[in-house]
Amino acid sequence: MEQAQAPKKKIIFSGVQPTGIMTLGNYLGAIKNWVELQDDYHCVYCIVNQHAITIRQEPSALKKNTLEAYALMLACGIDPERSVTFIQSHVAAHSQLSWVLSCYTQFGELSRMTQFKDKSAKHADNINAGLFTYPVLMAADILLYQADLVPVGIDQKQHLELSRDIALRFNGLYGNVFTVPDGYFPKTGAKIMSLQDPTKKMSKSDENPNAFISILDAKDTIIKKCRRAITDSEAEVAYREGKDGINNLLSIYSAVTGKTIPEAEAEFSGKGYGDFKTAVGEAVADHLAPVREEFNRLMKAPDHLKDCYRQGAEAAERMARRTLEKVYKKIGFLPPM
Ligand code: TRP
């Protein structure tokens, strides 16, 4: 019997790769939004270690990075009691659905993915099939949980559109099996640029460590990196075209203090770049200090972490199994019992 129910919360799914400690850019551009979304949505957050092996990984580093990425996600404020938080390889349904979906994805579609083209140019010695089918696994991640919304950066937009196309195609053939996901691009999604080349995105794989702030950097390191940030030869803290370095520092300052850009400009009007950069560094360090403390606390409690990701995997598994069973039935896989 149908029962009157409170409107069901929409489902959010997102994933992050365990490839080294996140930068301030990852944090402000992604994880901080994930934290806020927990208030209004049923959130499912995953450390996508299966995606990571499309690029060769050193096994012990992958293992360490996976645990650290998980701990960091919790340290940033993702609450395993409220959200489903787990590690991709712990839920077999991701690989299982991925295979099925790969048979509903065209070679031509995957060939058009710009990330595949970029990555295969960058890793010309290892253009493996996984690198090519990477977006199919991503579609499986999303569709397994019947996600309504998927917060991703602009660089993942094309993959998300492919997930939608696959879902629509499958639904067209078999009826409504999958929720067709929408991208979620937060209005305030601060895009944080490199401190050494402010026309480039801040990246943890930058060979110059001064180009990025790791969210676990010590206070004095953060201040030093901000002080070394490339700016311009004027002496005006103002947000305008042609001042990429200052614009970036203003965006960072605004994101970590909650002040608007005009408020920040007013605060530093008449002051030199040196004072401004130090203030940015201090504000960033103060903002990240609690995250770093919580991360260190969690890393000293491996049993607690294990409990969290085990329970997360169990909850994920229950959701995923329902979808996978439906898919298997629709396509005519003979049930084992
Ligand atoms: N491809 C994403 C990235 O590199 C990570 C990812 C994997 C993901 N599966 C996902 C993101 C599902 C959102 C939803 O950033």
Side-chain angles (χ1 to χ4, degrees), residues 225-288:
K225 287 180 178 179
C226 287
R227 290 193 59 88
R228 289 191 186 146
I230 301 292
T231 49
D232 53 58
S233 54
E234 299 174 359
E236 195 194 352
V237 180
Y239 194 100
R240 65 166 181 263
E241 223 191 302
K243 292 176 74 74
D244 295 327
I246 292 293
N247 296 351
N248 188 35
L249 291 174
L250 276 167
S251 302
I252 292 173
Y253 188 73
S254 158
V256 297
T257 60
K259 294 175 187 169
T260 64
I261 300 271
E263 281 165 2
E265 286 172 332
E267 188 179 340
F268 295 100
S269 100
K271 300 215 171 101
Y273 283 179
D275 289 348
F276 172 56
K277 288 173 170 180
T278 306
V280 174
E282 276 173 356
V284 170
D286 289 347
H287 188 78
L288 294 180

Short mmCIF file of all heavy atoms in Angstrom, two decimals, residues 225-288:
data_model
loop_
_atom_site.label_atom_id
_atom_site.label_comp_id
_atom_site.label_asym_id
_atom_site.label_seq_id
_atom_site.Cartn_x
_atom_site.Cartn_y
_atom_site.Cartn_z
N LYS A 225 54.53 29.69 0.57
CA LYS A 225 54.07 29.50 -0.82
C LYS A 225 53.24 30.70 -1.29
O LYS A 225 53.35 31.12 -2.44
CB LYS A 225 53.25 28.21 -0.93
CG LYS A 225 54.12 26.95 -0.86
CD LYS A 225 53.27 25.69 -0.96
CE LYS A 225 54.14 24.44 -0.93
NZ LYS A 225 53.31 23.20 -1.02
N CYS A 226 52.42 31.23 -0.42
CA CYS A 226 51.63 32.40 -0.81
C CYS A 226 52.53 33.60 -1.04
O CYS A 226 52.33 34.37 -1.98
CB CYS A 226 50.59 32.74 0.26
SG CYS A 226 49.23 31.56 0.28
N ARG A 227 53.55 33.74 -0.20
CA ARG A 227 54.46 34.88 -0.37
C ARG A 227 55.23 34.80 -1.68
O ARG A 227 55.64 35.81 -2.24
CB ARG A 227 55.41 34.99 0.82
CG ARG A 227 54.69 35.43 2.10
CD ARG A 227 55.66 35.84 3.19
NE ARG A 227 56.53 36.93 2.76
CZ ARG A 227 56.25 38.22 2.89
NH1 ARG A 227 55.11 38.59 3.44
NH2 ARG A 227 57.10 39.13 2.48
N ARG A 228 55.44 33.55 -2.13
CA ARG A 228 56.19 33.38 -3.40
C ARG A 228 55.29 33.39 -4.62
O ARG A 228 55.77 33.20 -5.75
CB ARG A 228 56.93 32.04 -3.37
CG ARG A 228 58.08 32.07 -2.42
CD ARG A 228 58.98 30.86 -2.59
NE ARG A 228 59.97 30.90 -1.55
CZ ARG A 228 60.50 29.85 -0.94
NH1 ARG A 228 60.13 28.63 -1.33
NH2 ARG A 228 61.40 29.99 0.01
N ALA A 229 54.00 33.53 -4.42
CA ALA A 229 53.07 33.46 -5.55
C ALA A 229 53.42 34.54 -6.58
O ALA A 229 53.79 35.65 -6.25
CB ALA A 229 51.64 33.67 -5.05
N ILE A 230 53.30 34.12 -7.85
CA ILE A 230 53.59 35.05 -8.95
C ILE A 230 52.43 36.03 -9.07
O ILE A 230 51.27 35.63 -9.14
CB ILE A 230 53.73 34.27 -10.29
CG1 ILE A 230 54.85 33.22 -10.21
CG2 ILE A 230 53.93 35.22 -11.47
CD1 ILE A 230 56.25 33.76 -10.10
N THR A 231 52.75 37.32 -9.08
CA THR A 231 51.69 38.32 -9.26
C THR A 231 52.05 39.22 -10.43
O THR A 231 52.42 38.72 -11.49
CB THR A 231 51.45 39.12 -7.96
OG1 THR A 231 52.70 39.59 -7.46
CG2 THR A 231 50.78 38.26 -6.91
N ASP A 232 51.95 40.53 -10.27
CA ASP A 232 52.28 41.43 -11.39
C ASP A 232 53.14 42.55 -10.84
O ASP A 232 53.44 42.59 -9.65
CB ASP A 232 50.99 41.94 -12.05
CG ASP A 232 50.05 42.55 -11.02
OD1 ASP A 232 50.45 43.50 -10.32
OD2 ASP A 232 48.91 42.05 -10.88
N SER A 233 53.50 43.48 -11.70
CA SER A 233 54.42 44.51 -11.24
C SER A 233 53.70 45.79 -10.79
O SER A 233 54.34 46.79 -10.49
CB SER A 233 55.42 44.81 -12.35
OG SER A 233 54.70 45.13 -13.53
N GLU A 234 52.38 45.73 -10.78
CA GLU A 234 51.66 46.89 -10.22
C GLU A 234 51.71 46.78 -8.70
O GLU A 234 52.38 45.92 -8.16
CB GLU A 234 50.20 46.87 -10.70
CG GLU A 234 50.06 46.95 -12.19
CD GLU A 234 48.63 46.78 -12.67
OE1 GLU A 234 47.72 46.57 -11.84
OE2 GLU A 234 48.43 46.82 -13.88
N ALA A 235 50.96 47.62 -8.03
CA ALA A 235 50.96 47.49 -6.57
C ALA A 235 49.55 47.73 -6.05
O ALA A 235 49.33 48.39 -5.06
CB ALA A 235 51.94 48.48 -5.95
N GLU A 236 48.58 47.14 -6.78
CA GLU A 236 47.21 47.40 -6.38
C GLU A 236 46.47 46.06 -6.22
O GLU A 236 46.40 45.27 -7.16
CB GLU A 236 46.53 48.25 -7.46
CG GLU A 236 45.25 48.88 -7.00
CD GLU A 236 44.43 49.42 -8.16
OE1 GLU A 236 44.93 49.45 -9.31
OE2 GLU A 236 43.28 49.80 -7.90
N VAL A 237 45.95 45.84 -5.02
CA VAL A 237 45.18 44.62 -4.78
C VAL A 237 43.77 44.85 -5.31
O VAL A 237 42.90 45.39 -4.63
CB VAL A 237 45.17 44.25 -3.28
CG1 VAL A 237 44.36 42.98 -3.05
CG2 VAL A 237 46.59 44.07 -2.76
N ALA A 238 43.58 44.49 -6.59
CA ALA A 238 42.28 44.70 -7.21
C ALA A 238 42.01 43.54 -8.15
O ALA A 238 42.93 43.00 -8.76
CB ALA A 238 42.28 46.01 -8.00
N TYR A 239 40.74 43.18 -8.26
CA TYR A 239 40.35 42.06 -9.11
C TYR A 239 40.00 42.60 -10.47
O TYR A 239 38.98 43.26 -10.65
CB TYR A 239 39.13 41.36 -8.50
CG TYR A 239 38.86 39.99 -9.10
CD1 TYR A 239 39.24 38.84 -8.44
CD2 TYR A 239 38.22 39.87 -10.33
CE1 TYR A 239 39.01 37.58 -8.98
CE2 TYR A 239 37.98 38.62 -10.89
CZ TYR A 239 38.38 37.48 -10.20
OH TYR A 239 38.15 36.25 -10.73
N ARG A 240 40.86 42.42 -11.43
CA ARG A 240 40.50 42.81 -12.79
C ARG A 240 41.34 42.07 -13.82
O ARG A 240 42.33 41.41 -13.49
CB ARG A 240 40.58 44.32 -12.98
CG ARG A 240 41.95 44.90 -12.86
CD ARG A 240 41.99 46.35 -13.39
NE ARG A 240 43.35 46.80 -13.23
CZ ARG A 240 43.79 47.51 -12.21
NH1 ARG A 240 42.98 47.90 -11.26
NH2 ARG A 240 45.06 47.84 -12.13
N GLU A 241 40.89 42.18 -15.06
CA GLU A 241 41.54 41.45 -16.14
C GLU A 241 43.02 41.77 -16.21
O GLU A 241 43.42 42.91 -15.97
CB GLU A 241 40.87 41.84 -17.46
CG GLU A 241 40.64 40.64 -18.34
CD GLU A 241 40.22 41.05 -19.74
OE1 GLU A 241 39.19 41.74 -19.84
OE2 GLU A 241 40.93 40.67 -20.69
N GLY A 242 43.80 40.74 -16.51
CA GLY A 242 45.23 40.95 -16.64
C GLY A 242 45.98 40.80 -15.32
O GLY A 242 47.19 40.82 -15.29
N LYS A 243 45.23 40.64 -14.21
CA LYS A 243 45.89 40.47 -12.92
C LYS A 243 45.62 39.05 -12.39
O LYS A 243 45.10 38.87 -11.28
CB LYS A 243 45.39 41.53 -11.92
CG LYS A 243 45.82 42.95 -12.29
CD LYS A 243 45.25 43.99 -11.33
CE LYS A 243 45.89 44.03 -9.97
NZ LYS A 243 47.23 44.64 -9.95
N ASP A 244 45.97 38.05 -13.21
CA ASP A 244 45.60 36.66 -12.88
C ASP A 244 46.08 36.23 -11.50
O ASP A 244 45.36 35.57 -10.76
CB ASP A 244 46.18 35.70 -13.93
CG ASP A 244 45.56 35.92 -15.30
OD1 ASP A 244 44.38 36.27 -15.36
OD2 ASP A 244 46.28 35.74 -16.31
N GLY A 245 47.32 36.60 -11.18
CA GLY A 245 47.89 36.17 -9.90
C GLY A 245 47.14 36.77 -8.72
O GLY A 245 46.76 36.06 -7.77
N ILE A 246 46.91 38.06 -8.77
CA ILE A 246 46.17 38.75 -7.69
C ILE A 246 44.72 38.25 -7.65
O ILE A 246 44.17 37.99 -6.58
CB ILE A 246 46.23 40.29 -7.89
CG1 ILE A 246 47.66 40.80 -7.66
CG2 ILE A 246 45.24 41.01 -6.97
CD1 ILE A 246 48.19 40.67 -6.24
N ASN A 247 44.12 38.07 -8.83
CA ASN A 247 42.74 37.57 -8.87
C ASN A 247 42.63 36.22 -8.15
O ASN A 247 41.70 35.97 -7.39
CB ASN A 247 42.26 37.39 -10.32
CG ASN A 247 42.19 38.72 -11.07
OD1 ASN A 247 42.32 39.78 -10.47
ND2 ASN A 247 41.98 38.64 -12.38
N ASN A 248 43.62 35.37 -8.43
CA ASN A 248 43.62 34.05 -7.81
C ASN A 248 43.74 34.16 -6.29
O ASN A 248 42.99 33.52 -5.55
CB ASN A 248 44.78 33.23 -8.40
CG ASN A 248 44.77 31.78 -7.99
OD1 ASN A 248 43.69 31.17 -7.84
ND2 ASN A 248 45.95 31.20 -7.79
N LEU A 249 44.67 35.00 -5.84
CA LEU A 249 44.84 35.15 -4.38
C LEU A 249 43.58 35.75 -3.75
O LEU A 249 43.19 35.36 -2.65
CB LEU A 249 46.07 36.02 -4.08
CG LEU A 249 47.43 35.37 -4.41
CD1 LEU A 249 48.58 36.37 -4.21
CD2 LEU A 249 47.68 34.12 -3.57
N LEU A 250 42.95 36.68 -4.46
CA LEU A 250 41.70 37.25 -3.94
C LEU A 250 40.59 36.18 -3.86
O LEU A 250 39.85 36.14 -2.88
CB LEU A 250 41.24 38.42 -4.82
CG LEU A 250 41.88 39.78 -4.52
CD1 LEU A 250 41.58 40.78 -5.64
CD2 LEU A 250 41.39 40.36 -3.17
N SER A 251 40.52 35.33 -4.89
CA SER A 251 39.51 34.26 -4.86
C SER A 251 39.76 33.32 -3.69
O SER A 251 38.82 32.90 -3.00
CB SER A 251 39.56 33.40 -6.12
OG SER A 251 39.36 34.17 -7.25
N ILE A 252 41.03 32.99 -3.49
CA ILE A 252 41.37 32.08 -2.39
C ILE A 252 40.99 32.73 -1.05
O ILE A 252 40.34 32.13 -0.20
CB ILE A 252 42.89 31.75 -2.41
CG1 ILE A 252 43.22 30.89 -3.63
CG2 ILE A 252 43.31 31.04 -1.12
CD1 ILE A 252 44.72 30.64 -3.85
N TYR A 253 41.38 34.00 -0.92
CA TYR A 253 41.11 34.71 0.33
C TYR A 253 39.60 34.77 0.60
O TYR A 253 39.13 34.51 1.71
CB TYR A 253 41.69 36.13 0.24
CG TYR A 253 41.64 36.90 1.54
CD1 TYR A 253 42.51 36.57 2.59
CD2 TYR A 253 40.74 37.95 1.71
CE1 TYR A 253 42.46 37.28 3.79
CE2 TYR A 253 40.69 38.66 2.90
CZ TYR A 253 41.55 38.33 3.93
OH TYR A 253 41.52 39.04 5.11
N SER A 254 38.86 35.08 -0.45
CA SER A 254 37.42 35.16 -0.32
C SER A 254 36.82 33.80 0.06
O SER A 254 35.96 33.70 0.94
CB SER A 254 36.85 35.69 -1.64
OG SER A 254 35.51 35.34 -1.79
N ALA A 255 37.30 32.74 -0.57
CA ALA A 255 36.75 31.40 -0.30
C ALA A 255 37.02 30.96 1.14
O ALA A 255 36.16 30.36 1.77
CB ALA A 255 37.31 30.38 -1.28
N VAL A 256 38.20 31.28 1.66
CA VAL A 256 38.51 30.78 3.01
C VAL A 256 38.00 31.70 4.12
O VAL A 256 37.82 31.26 5.25
CB VAL A 256 40.01 30.46 3.23
CG1 VAL A 256 40.48 29.35 2.31
CG2 VAL A 256 40.87 31.70 3.08
N THR A 257 37.78 32.98 3.81
CA THR A 257 37.30 33.88 4.87
C THR A 257 35.80 34.12 4.79
O THR A 257 35.20 34.60 5.74
CB THR A 257 37.98 35.27 4.78
OG1 THR A 257 37.66 35.83 3.50
CG2 THR A 257 39.49 35.19 4.96
N GLY A 258 35.20 33.82 3.63
CA GLY A 258 33.77 34.10 3.46
C GLY A 258 33.51 35.57 3.10
O GLY A 258 32.37 35.98 2.92
N LYS A 259 34.58 36.37 3.00
CA LYS A 259 34.39 37.77 2.61
C LYS A 259 34.20 37.84 1.09
O LYS A 259 34.70 36.98 0.37
CB LYS A 259 35.63 38.60 2.97
CG LYS A 259 35.84 38.71 4.48
CD LYS A 259 37.14 39.42 4.81
CE LYS A 259 37.39 39.36 6.32
NZ LYS A 259 38.74 39.79 6.69
N THR A 260 33.50 38.87 0.64
CA THR A 260 33.35 39.03 -0.81
C THR A 260 34.64 39.63 -1.39
O THR A 260 35.47 40.16 -0.64
CB THR A 260 32.19 39.98 -1.16
OG1 THR A 260 32.53 41.28 -0.65
CG2 THR A 260 30.88 39.52 -0.56
N ILE A 261 34.78 39.55 -2.70
CA ILE A 261 35.96 40.12 -3.35
C ILE A 261 36.05 41.64 -3.08
O ILE A 261 37.11 42.13 -2.67
CB ILE A 261 35.97 39.82 -4.87
CG1 ILE A 261 35.96 38.31 -5.12
CG2 ILE A 261 37.12 40.53 -5.58
CD1 ILE A 261 37.28 37.60 -5.21
N PRO A 262 34.95 42.41 -3.26
CA PRO A 262 35.05 43.85 -2.96
C PRO A 262 35.45 44.13 -1.50
O PRO A 262 36.22 45.05 -1.23
CB PRO A 262 33.63 44.38 -3.24
CG PRO A 262 33.03 43.39 -4.18
CD PRO A 262 33.65 42.07 -3.87
N GLU A 263 34.94 43.31 -0.58
CA GLU A 263 35.35 43.48 0.82
C GLU A 263 36.85 43.26 0.98
O GLU A 263 37.54 44.00 1.70
CB GLU A 263 34.59 42.51 1.74
CG GLU A 263 33.17 42.94 2.07
CD GLU A 263 32.31 41.81 2.67
OE1 GLU A 263 32.81 40.68 2.89
OE2 GLU A 263 31.12 42.07 2.91
N ALA A 264 37.33 42.22 0.29
CA ALA A 264 38.76 41.93 0.38
C ALA A 264 39.58 43.06 -0.26
O ALA A 264 40.60 43.49 0.29
CB ALA A 264 39.06 40.59 -0.30
N GLU A 265 39.13 43.55 -1.41
CA GLU A 265 39.84 44.66 -2.07
C GLU A 265 39.92 45.86 -1.13
O GLU A 265 40.98 46.49 -0.99
CB GLU A 265 39.10 45.08 -3.35
CG GLU A 265 39.26 44.10 -4.51
CD GLU A 265 38.35 44.46 -5.70
OE1 GLU A 265 37.28 45.07 -5.48
OE2 GLU A 265 38.72 44.11 -6.83
N ALA A 266 38.80 46.16 -0.48
CA ALA A 266 38.76 47.32 0.42
C ALA A 266 39.73 47.13 1.59
O ALA A 266 40.46 48.05 1.97
CB ALA A 266 37.33 47.52 0.94
N GLU A 267 39.75 45.91 2.09
CA GLU A 267 40.62 45.61 3.24
C GLU A 267 42.10 45.88 2.91
O GLU A 267 42.87 46.30 3.77
CB GLU A 267 40.40 44.15 3.63
CG GLU A 267 41.08 43.74 4.91
CD GLU A 267 40.80 42.26 5.25
OE1 GLU A 267 39.82 41.67 4.74
OE2 GLU A 267 41.59 41.71 6.02
N PHE A 268 42.49 45.61 1.64
CA PHE A 268 43.90 45.73 1.29
C PHE A 268 44.21 46.96 0.44
O PHE A 268 45.31 47.07 -0.10
CB PHE A 268 44.39 44.45 0.60
CG PHE A 268 44.34 43.27 1.52
CD1 PHE A 268 43.29 42.36 1.47
CD2 PHE A 268 45.32 43.10 2.51
CE1 PHE A 268 43.22 41.30 2.35
CE2 PHE A 268 45.26 42.04 3.39
CZ PHE A 268 44.20 41.14 3.32
N SER A 269 43.25 47.86 0.35
CA SER A 269 43.53 49.03 -0.49
C SER A 269 44.62 49.86 0.17
O SER A 269 44.63 50.05 1.39
CB SER A 269 42.23 49.82 -0.74
OG SER A 269 42.17 50.91 0.12
N GLY A 270 45.59 50.26 -0.63
CA GLY A 270 46.71 51.04 -0.09
C GLY A 270 47.79 50.19 0.55
O GLY A 270 48.85 50.69 0.91
N LYS A 271 47.55 48.88 0.67
CA LYS A 271 48.59 48.01 1.24
C LYS A 271 49.40 47.35 0.13
O LYS A 271 48.93 47.21 -1.00
CB LYS A 271 47.94 46.92 2.10
CG LYS A 271 47.12 47.49 3.26
CD LYS A 271 47.23 46.59 4.49
CE LYS A 271 46.60 47.26 5.70
NZ LYS A 271 45.25 46.75 5.98
N GLY A 272 50.59 46.92 0.44
CA GLY A 272 51.47 46.29 -0.54
C GLY A 272 51.13 44.82 -0.75
O GLY A 272 50.40 44.22 0.04
N TYR A 273 51.69 44.25 -1.81
CA TYR A 273 51.45 42.83 -2.11
C TYR A 273 51.98 41.93 -1.00
O TYR A 273 51.42 40.87 -0.72
CB TYR A 273 52.12 42.44 -3.44
CG TYR A 273 51.36 42.90 -4.67
CD1 TYR A 273 51.86 42.64 -5.95
CD2 TYR A 273 50.14 43.56 -4.57
CE1 TYR A 273 51.19 43.04 -7.09
CE2 TYR A 273 49.46 43.98 -5.70
CZ TYR A 273 49.98 43.71 -6.96
OH TYR A 273 49.31 44.10 -8.07
N GLY A 274 53.10 42.36 -0.38
CA GLY A 274 53.70 41.53 0.68
C GLY A 274 52.71 41.29 1.81
O GLY A 274 52.50 40.14 2.22
N ASP A 275 52.09 42.37 2.28
CA ASP A 275 51.12 42.23 3.37
C ASP A 275 49.94 41.38 2.95
O ASP A 275 49.46 40.54 3.69
CB ASP A 275 50.56 43.62 3.76
CG ASP A 275 51.61 44.45 4.48
OD1 ASP A 275 52.65 43.88 4.86
OD2 ASP A 275 51.39 45.68 4.63
N PHE A 276 49.49 41.63 1.72
CA PHE A 276 48.33 40.90 1.21
C PHE A 276 48.63 39.39 1.15
O PHE A 276 47.86 38.57 1.64
CB PHE A 276 47.95 41.44 -0.17
CG PHE A 276 46.90 40.65 -0.90
CD1 PHE A 276 45.66 40.41 -0.30
CD2 PHE A 276 47.14 40.15 -2.18
CE1 PHE A 276 44.68 39.67 -0.97
CE2 PHE A 276 46.16 39.42 -2.85
CZ PHE A 276 44.94 39.18 -2.24
N LYS A 277 49.79 39.05 0.58
CA LYS A 277 50.13 37.63 0.43
C LYS A 277 50.24 36.94 1.79
O LYS A 277 49.80 35.81 1.95
CB LYS A 277 51.44 37.48 -0.33
CG LYS A 277 51.34 37.81 -1.82
CD LYS A 277 52.74 37.79 -2.41
CE LYS A 277 52.74 37.85 -3.92
NZ LYS A 277 54.13 37.84 -4.43
N THR A 278 50.85 37.64 2.75
CA THR A 278 50.96 37.04 4.08
C THR A 278 49.57 36.82 4.67
O THR A 278 49.29 35.76 5.26
CB THR A 278 51.79 37.95 5.01
OG1 THR A 278 53.03 38.21 4.37
CG2 THR A 278 52.03 37.32 6.36
N ALA A 279 48.70 37.79 4.49
CA ALA A 279 47.34 37.66 5.03
C ALA A 279 46.60 36.49 4.37
O ALA A 279 45.89 35.74 5.04
CB ALA A 279 46.57 38.96 4.82
N VAL A 280 46.81 36.31 3.07
CA VAL A 280 46.17 35.19 2.38
C VAL A 280 46.69 33.88 2.97
O VAL A 280 45.92 32.98 3.33
CB VAL A 280 46.43 35.22 0.85
CG1 VAL A 280 45.87 33.97 0.18
CG2 VAL A 280 45.82 36.48 0.23
N GLY A 281 48.02 33.79 3.11
CA GLY A 281 48.63 32.58 3.66
C GLY A 281 48.10 32.27 5.04
O GLY A 281 47.76 31.11 5.35
N GLU A 282 47.99 33.30 5.89
CA GLU A 282 47.50 33.06 7.25
C GLU A 282 46.05 32.61 7.25
O GLU A 282 45.68 31.70 7.99
CB GLU A 282 47.67 34.32 8.10
CG GLU A 282 49.08 34.37 8.65
CD GLU A 282 49.44 35.66 9.37
OE1 GLU A 282 48.60 36.60 9.40
OE2 GLU A 282 50.56 35.71 9.89
N ALA A 283 45.26 33.23 6.40
CA ALA A 283 43.83 32.86 6.35
C ALA A 283 43.66 31.42 5.86
O ALA A 283 42.86 30.66 6.40
CB ALA A 283 43.07 33.82 5.44
N VAL A 284 44.47 31.03 4.87
CA VAL A 284 44.38 29.66 4.36
C VAL A 284 44.81 28.68 5.45
O VAL A 284 44.13 27.68 5.72
CB VAL A 284 45.26 29.48 3.09
CG1 VAL A 284 45.37 28.01 2.71
CG2 VAL A 284 44.71 30.30 1.93
N ALA A 285 45.93 28.98 6.10
CA ALA A 285 46.45 28.09 7.14
C ALA A 285 45.43 27.94 8.27
O ALA A 285 45.19 26.83 8.75
CB ALA A 285 47.78 28.60 7.66
N ASP A 286 44.82 29.04 8.69
CA ASP A 286 43.82 28.96 9.77
C ASP A 286 42.63 28.13 9.35
O ASP A 286 42.08 27.36 10.13
CB ASP A 286 43.33 30.37 10.16
CG ASP A 286 44.42 31.13 10.90
OD1 ASP A 286 45.42 30.51 11.30
OD2 ASP A 286 44.28 32.37 11.03
N HIS A 287 42.24 28.30 8.09
CA HIS A 287 41.08 27.57 7.59
C HIS A 287 41.36 26.06 7.53
O HIS A 287 40.48 25.25 7.81
CB HIS A 287 40.74 28.09 6.19
CG HIS A 287 39.46 27.56 5.65
ND1 HIS A 287 38.23 28.03 6.04
CD2 HIS A 287 39.20 26.58 4.75
CE1 HIS A 287 37.28 27.38 5.41
NE2 HIS A 287 37.84 26.48 4.61
N LEU A 288 42.60 25.71 7.17
CA LEU A 288 42.91 24.28 7.00
C LEU A 288 43.36 23.60 8.29
O LEU A 288 43.38 22.37 8.36
CB LEU A 288 44.00 24.11 5.93
CG LEU A 288 43.61 24.49 4.50
CD1 LEU A 288 44.78 24.27 3.56
CD2 LEU A 288 42.39 23.68 4.02
#
